Amino acid sequence: MNAPTSPEALRFNMIEQQIRPWNVLEPQILDLLSVVRREDYVPAVHRSMAFFDMELPLGDGRDPGQCMLSPKVEARILQDLQVKPTDTVLEIGTGSGYMAALLAHRAARVLTLEIDEKLAKQAAQTLRANGVGNVEVRHADGAKPLASGPTFDVIVLSGSVARVPQNLLGSLNNGGRLAAIVGEEPMMRAHFVTRLSEGKWETQQPWDTVAPRLLNFPEPSRFSF
């Protein structure tokens, strides 16, 4: 009878068999994925699937859109954003807090917004329990402008939208980067938008994926004639 596979072995396989083949090759990112324990951020009922190549449901399961993105998508976003130790980060869609924890290890501080109040509270508790002190979890609708109007070096949308939100582009500092998964099923593309200067942006779309929608962002009109 085979002994159960250890979390360390499962984590190693996740990195080597899922993440590295997805062109996540930066050593610091791969090391970070070994340090930040993904299973600590997965709901207890799904913890045995923490290292699977799939999205994992969050909350009570009644809303299928509330989920953790697959490990390879999270890792590729983190790598392609090129987060620096001095960066301030805004994340929309906290979910379990796992992506915020990864960002926090790379950046100076992270503000993460979660529309579901229960998930926001759970994520804040999980981050504290894991010693992540430079993340603020805020119960808020990320589709609405922030009241104080701050700007950021990095903005991450941890879910998909129909188009890149223009109001968020205005919240980027010069040189800042925004990551979003844009489009409609069955085809979406990762968009990385860099603010080059006032009124000037550059967009790259390096890879395809599919992700659940973030709530309340505009959708294209469905009218037909």
Side-chain angles (χ1 to χ4, degrees), residues 6 19 23 27 36 94 174 215 222:
S6 70
I19 292 172
N23 289 325
V36 180
T94 310
N174 286 341
L215 297 178
R222 300 295 182 185

Side-chain angles (χ1 to χ4, degrees), residues 48-91:
S48 63
M49 299 185 289
F51 307 106
F52 287 15
D53 184 13
M54 62 183 292
E55 296 162 355
L56 290 178
L58 297 173
D60 56 15
R62 287 179 294 183
D63 182 356
Q66 297 284 3
C67 71
M68 293 178 71
L69 298 178
S70 69
K72 66 187 182 186
V73 170
E74 293 167 324
R76 185 70 187 268
I77 289 173
L78 189 66
Q79 174 182 265
D80 291 359
L81 276 170
Q82 300 179 347
V83 182
K84 300 188 290 290
T86 55
D87 282 344
T88 57
V89 179
L90 170 66
E91 182 195 20

Side-chain angles (χ1 to χ4, degrees), residues 42-152:
V42 173
V45 67
H46 299 306
R47 197 154 291 162
S48 63
M49 299 185 289
F51 307 106
F52 287 15
D53 184 13
M54 62 183 292
E55 296 162 355
L56 290 178
L58 297 173
D60 56 15
R62 287 179 294 183
D63 182 356
Q66 297 284 3
C67 71
M68 293 178 71
L69 298 178
S70 69
K72 66 187 182 186
V73 170
E74 293 167 324
R76 185 70 187 268
I77 289 173
L78 189 66
Q79 174 182 265
D80 291 359
L81 276 170
Q82 300 179 347
V83 182
K84 300 188 290 290
T86 55
D87 282 344
T88 57
V89 179
L90 170 66
E91 182 195 20
I92 296 176
T94 310
S96 71
Y98 177 67
M99 188 65 175
L102 294 174
L103 290 162
H105 279 76
R106 302 279 288 173
R109 63 183 185 275
V110 177
L111 169 62
T112 180
L113 309 181
E114 174 53 55
I115 196 169
D116 184 300
E117 184 174 12
K118 185 177 179 181
L119 283 181
K121 290 179 178 178
Q122 289 174 340
Q125 292 171 357
T126 303
L127 288 159
R128 284 196 300 270
N130 285 280
V132 183
N134 59 333
V135 175
E136 177 191 350
V137 180
R138 189 178 297 177
H139 171 225
D141 183 352
K144 296 179 179 179
L146 290 172
S148 56
T151 57
F152 302 89

